[in-house]
Amino acid sequence: MPIIVNLDVMMAKRKISLNELSEKVGLTLANLSILKTGKAKAVRFSTLETICKVLDCQPGDILEYRES
């Protein structure tokens, strides 16, 4: 898939665990894990906004486009 999810990279930079991010964002561990592994088909802007607030980053820090 040409959209790469770098959520794990940002989580490592901010030293935050999946459990902690899940609690702060309000997503289940399963849904956050699907997003983190790049298996999600879509993400709501409101979810992306909350993740960016918690991780103090921009959407482009989490999502990346690469031509295949």
Side-chain angles (χ1 to χ4, degrees):
M1 180 185 334
I3 301 294
I4 308 301
V5 180
N6 293 315
L7 183 57
D8 53 343
V9 174
M10 285 308 301
M11 288 172 58
K13 286 182 181 178
R14 300 296 188 251
K15 297 182 171 107
I16 188 169
S17 70
L18 194 62
N19 285 334
E20 189 178 349
L21 185 61
S22 172
E23 289 174 13
K24 291 184 176 183
V25 172
L27 283 178
T28 64
L29 278 174
N31 285 337
L32 199 53
S33 182
I34 288 168
L35 180 59
K36 183 180 151 200
T37 58
K39 294 180 181 176
K41 300 283 184 199
V43 61
R44 292 177 188 223
F45 283 146
S46 58
T47 301
L48 186 58
E49 177 185 1
T50 306
I51 290 171
C52 287
K53 281 182 185 176
V54 171
L55 295 177
D56 188 29
C57 66
Q58 294 294 312
D61 297 328
I62 296 172
L63 302 174
E64 176 184 350
Y65 173 76
R66 287 190 196 160
E67 285 191 43
S68 45

